[in-house]
Amino acid sequence: MPASPTRQPALFLPHGGGPCFFMDWTWGPADTWHATQRFLEGISATLPAPPKALLVISGHWEGAAFTVGSAARPQLIFDYSGFPAETYKLTWPAPGDPALAARVARLLADGGLPSSSDPQRGYDHGVFVPLKVAFPKAEIPVVTLSLASSLDPALHIAAGRALAPLRDEGVLIIGSGMSFHNLGAYFQPQTAPRARTFNDWLTQAIQSPAAHRDSFLTNWRSAPFAAFSHPREEHLVPLFVAAGAGGDATGMRIFTDEPMGAAISAFRFDG
């Protein structure tokens, strides 16, 4: 009789800027993203067991409703521009998992959340850039899930709660985004203290008991420097899905750094 899958956590990971881990960084010091890269390289060693599959919610894919990528062999989507030519030749041939994609859709439907399927969708850079660092062998099947274009916090927390049973099936749920995402604010003198303040608020929210955490995240726009940190919140919303998937577990911050003068963090939900 096969062993039962090991329960996996839910994670929120920073995916950096464009293909930042695979180029000589020209927008700042060469070591700008080294700390984030080292953190991502160490992720697999912190897991309780190798995941059966990955479910990734990227800040770079939105649909009118939640949309599940169901391709068996997803291609890479080079959805960035202005970077060196070699960054458009990257490879990361992780397989898809149509059966898991169907399971994701069923769980969303059971939670009263409409969804659709996209059998052509590939891996955008919010997926393949950080995961090429974290899981370079590209052996673990990956299913992707879009954000709902409303970006409604409560809706995405609910989606995470609907998908939480996957954790007991050995699926690692990953929200891929950035806890600070204001492209016009990097390297500006006012950014560091504002980003730290928002980052501290976000950390306190994540480390609160689940009922309070959900309330804080649902009302995240009332946080200090929220609009400055996220003029548009698509890079923050994957965190809401991860938090929802965390269920009643108290979250923890597992990484923080200040690339380009703005504090960013990663979070984990166990239990």
Side-chain angles (χ1 to χ4, degrees), residues 12-18 20-21 25 32-33 36 40 57-60 125-126 129-130 147 175-183 186 198-199 202 220 226 229-240 255 257-260 262-267:
F12 174 75
L13 304 180
H15 62 229
C20 61
F21 309 117
W25 192 250
T32 296
W33 293 102
T36 305
L40 292 171
I57 302 92
S58 167
H60 286 279
H125 80 272
V129 167
L147 304 176
S176 173
M178 293 287 284
S179 56
F180 179 94
H181 193 253
N182 181 343
L183 299 182
Y186 293 117
F198 179 75
N199 194 57
L202 190 62
W220 74 274
S229 299
H230 292 278
R232 190 173 185 273
E233 63 267 35
E234 79 287 342
H235 275 65
L236 183 64
V237 174
L239 172 58
F240 304 157
F255 170 77
D257 190 31
E258 295 192 7
M260 301 191 294
I264 60 170
S265 289
F267 300 98

Side-chain angles (χ1 to χ4, degrees), residues 17 19-20 23-33 82-84 86 187 260:
C20 61
M23 56 178 277
D24 292 328
W25 192 250
T26 57
W27 297 351
D31 64 352
T32 296
W33 293 102
F83 290 95
E86 63 268 20
F187 300 116
M260 301 191 294

Side-chain angles (χ1 to χ4, degrees), residues 22 53-56 72-78 80 87-96 122-144 174:
F22 305 102
L54 310 177
L55 173 62
V56 187
R73 292 288 174 183
Q75 302 299 305
L76 301 192
I77 303 172
F78 296 102
Y80 43 72
T87 65
Y88 298 89
K89 299 176 183 177
L90 295 172
T91 61
W92 191 69
Y123 299 142
D124 63 61
H125 80 272
V127 178
F128 78 82
V129 167
L131 297 191
K132 183 175 173 66
V133 178
F135 301 98
K137 293 183 179 179
E139 296 173 335
I140 301 172
V142 178
V143 167
T144 56
I174 299 174

Side-chain angles (χ1 to χ4, degrees), residues 5-11 48 51-53 55 100 103 107 160-174 213 241-250 268-271:
T6 301
R7 180 176 174 83
Q8 293 289 337
L11 305 177
K52 177 183 175 182
L55 173 62
L100 175 58
R103 172 83 170 128
L107 287 171
R161 287 192 174 272
L163 296 169
L166 294 173
R167 295 176 53 205
D168 288 320
E169 299 169 19
V171 178
L172 177 63
I173 298 176
I174 299 174
R213 177 182 74 223
V241 182
D248 293 331
T250 299
R268 175 170 173 149
F269 304 87
D270 283 290

Side-chain angles (χ1 to χ4, degrees), residues 60 66 212:
H60 286 279
F66 293 110
H212 298 294

